[in-house]
Amino acid sequence: MNGMMLCFSKIKLHGELHLNFLRSFHDIVSDQQQSFDEKIASLLKFGLNVFSLDIAIISEIINNQYIVRYVITPDNSLAVGTIFDLAGTYCVHTLAASKALAFHQASTSRIAHHPCYVNFQLESYIGAPIKVGKDIYGTVNFSSPSSSTPFSQQAHDYVELFAQWLGSEFARKSANEQLLKNNNTLVKLESIANIGSWEVDLLTSKVTWSEQTKRIYQVDDSFIPDLASAISFFKEGDSRESITKAVESGMQTGEKWHLDLELVTAQKQTIWVSAFGESEFVDGSCVRLFGTLQDVTESVLLREELKSKQAQAERMLEDRSMLLTKISHELRTPLNGITGMLTTLLGEHNEAKRTEKLKVALRSADN
């Protein structure tokens, strides 16, 4: 009976310890007041306390090199960025096992002659591989120059939990960084091409403008647009009527639009924009409008100037043609007189008449 009570007491104690571990772990990873790096520091300190060890490291493995990314040591003797040969660390065995691995007394284990023990005399170690997706990022590991009690299966589970959370957070951090990079690239491209993007969520009535779109409209960054105000910026008359019809048609039939329209900015400047838009339908209903807006004022003005110069050139060609026609007419009239008189001379034998006809021909030449 006493043995059974002792067994139940141990189970209860282990259960309470496990719950305490989970509560503490949750408090750290869900703390929104801490940055990503601060959470990692808190997690490593927590791990040192859980495993009763002295050194905590998060490594990244690149080309068989072990790179220290985060570290806690008693004397701060190991710097972030320090690089070791992977084969010279216990983590080479952890990665080979592809799961949590632990040694509580390296000097009496199969790794007694391992370079890590020979060089650093680390007696105890527990670590797990960190995976980002299907790829190995590195390891999270805890160690000490002192031997420890054998690590339980629960300890293996705990370090695996650390590794899983770190893997998911590294993946999310990488995705956010890539998203930010892509967004920055898009912003630069928008600025270079003077093209802004926009979106209308018809389910929430929320209108979103990119930074470049706000620059085109000449509004403050804090400006919050809606669909009606966005349309009201288009110049009253043909431009506003055209964009209104295009938006209505897009919402009803899904027809895309691409229009060159006049827009009056918040600074009362009239510009030309190329407006492109399309719609998204779900279950037969339009739920979203999105597209781009490009300031094409310079190209429109240049196009109008070219049209004006072309019309001017065409008028000049027409005037030149009329002038040549008139000159041709003016030349043909006296030439016809000369030709006629000379032709009649061929059959004229009367000297007086020949002289008179020559005089007529000469007068025609003078004209």
Side-chain angles (χ1 to χ4, degrees):
M1 185 69 176
N2 290 336
M4 187 176 293
M5 290 296 294
L6 180 61
C7 181
F8 281 136
S9 296
K10 288 183 178 179
I11 292 173
K12 183 178 179 182
L13 178 61
H14 284 305
E16 289 177 354
L17 290 173
H18 182 63
L19 287 175
N20 288 336
F21 170 85
L22 292 178
R23 287 194 192 98
S24 298
F25 181 84
H26 177 267
D27 288 344
I28 292 170
V29 300
S30 62
D31 187 354
Q32 297 184 1
Q33 301 301 316
Q34 291 194 89
S35 67
F36 178 71
D37 288 346
E38 288 171 339
K39 285 183 181 180
I40 288 183
S42 296
L43 198 65
L44 292 181
K45 290 176 183 177
F46 176 55
L48 290 175
N49 184 55
V50 168
F51 302 120
S52 299
L53 298 173
D54 302 312
I55 302 168
I57 299 175
I58 293 174
S59 69
E60 183 178 8
I61 309 301
I62 301 177
N63 296 329
N64 290 320
Q65 288 188 318
Y66 177 102
I67 307 170
V68 177
R69 293 303 184 197
Y70 298 88
V71 60
I72 296 177
T73 61
D75 55 1
N76 297 320
S77 58
L78 185 59
V80 171
T82 302
I83 299 176
F84 298 98
D85 182 9
L86 176 61
T89 68
Y90 290 153
C91 290
V92 69
H93 298 290
T94 303
L95 295 179
S98 192
K99 62 179 182 180
L101 193 68
F103 304 100
H104 70 281
Q105 192 169 359
S107 59
T108 60
S109 72
R110 61 185 176 87
I111 62 167
H113 301 292
H114 191 278
C116 188
Y117 182 74
V118 172
N119 294 326
F120 304 108
Q121 297 291 300
L122 293 176
E123 281 283 359
S124 50
Y125 164 93
I126 185 168
I130 300 172
K131 295 181 180 179
V132 175
K134 295 182 179 180
D135 300 323
I136 294 294
Y137 172 85
T139 64
V140 54
N141 60 87
F142 302 87
S143 58
S144 175
S146 304
S147 59
S148 68
T149 57
F151 293 101
S152 65
Q153 181 57 49
Q154 198 169 56
H156 285 71
D157 293 340
Y158 288 166
V159 77
E160 287 271 13
L161 183 60
F162 283 13
Q164 289 171 10
W165 181 82
L166 288 167
S168 65
E169 287 301 298
F170 281 135
R172 189 163 66 91
K173 185 171 182 284
S174 176
N176 288 340
E177 288 173 350
Q178 186 61 46
L179 183 62
L180 181 61
K181 181 179 179 181
N182 292 343
N183 185 62
N184 289 338
T185 301
L186 179 60
V187 169
K188 289 179 182 178
L189 290 175
E190 284 186 351
S191 179
I192 292 170
N194 210 2
I195 298 176
S197 58
W198 58 267
E199 179 181 349
V200 181
D201 186 334
L202 296 174
L203 298 179
T204 62
S205 298
K206 182 181 179 181
V207 178
T208 304
W209 285 354
S210 70
E211 291 181 10
Q212 189 60 27
T213 298
K214 290 184 177 181
R215 291 194 188 101
I216 292 173
Y217 275 88
Q218 293 183 339
V219 297
D220 294 334
D221 290 339
S222 59
F223 180 78
I224 301 175
D226 55 47
L227 185 56
S229 65
I231 291 177
S232 70
F233 278 95
F234 287 89
K235 190 173 182 179
E236 189 174 3
D238 291 341
S239 291
R240 191 177 300 175
E241 290 174 6
S242 295
I243 192 63
T244 300
K245 289 179 181 178
V247 170
E248 290 175 351
S249 179
M251 293 170 63
Q252 293 170 6
T253 68
E255 183 180 357
K256 298 179 182 179
W257 67 88
H258 191 183
L259 305 168
D260 284 350
L261 305 168
E262 285 186 284
L263 182 144
V264 181
T265 70
Q267 303 299 323
K268 304 304 179 184
Q269 180 183 354
T270 300
I271 62 174
W272 281 90
V273 295
S274 180
F276 170 81
E278 58 182 296
S279 50
E280 178 183 342
F281 282 74
V282 175
D283 296 330
S285 298
C286 184
V287 297
R288 187 169 74 106
L289 299 172
F290 60 96
T292 59
L293 194 75
Q294 182 179 18
D295 185 343
V296 293
T297 305
E298 290 186 7
S299 61
V300 169
L301 294 178
L302 179 60
R303 188 165 64 239
E304 292 301 318
E305 183 180 354
L306 290 175
K307 284 182 180 179
S308 176
K309 289 184 177 180
Q310 182 180 5
Q312 183 180 358
E314 289 174 352
R315 286 195 300 271
M316 290 177 65
L317 286 173
E318 185 178 351
D319 292 344
R320 179 173 177 272
S321 178
M322 291 178 64
L323 177 61
L324 291 175
T325 300
K326 184 177 180 181
I327 291 173
S328 177
H329 174 73
E330 294 295 331
L331 286 173
R332 281 199 304 271
T333 300
L335 285 175
N336 287 339
I338 294 170
T339 303
M341 288 299 102
L342 292 176
T343 301
T344 58
L345 282 174
L346 294 174
E348 183 60 63
H349 300 290
N350 186 298
E351 188 64 30
K353 289 183 177 181
R354 286 171 62 89
T355 300
E356 183 61 30
K357 288 180 178 181
L358 284 171
K359 289 180 179 179
V360 172
L362 288 171
R363 284 197 299 272
S364 295
D366 290 338
N367 292 331

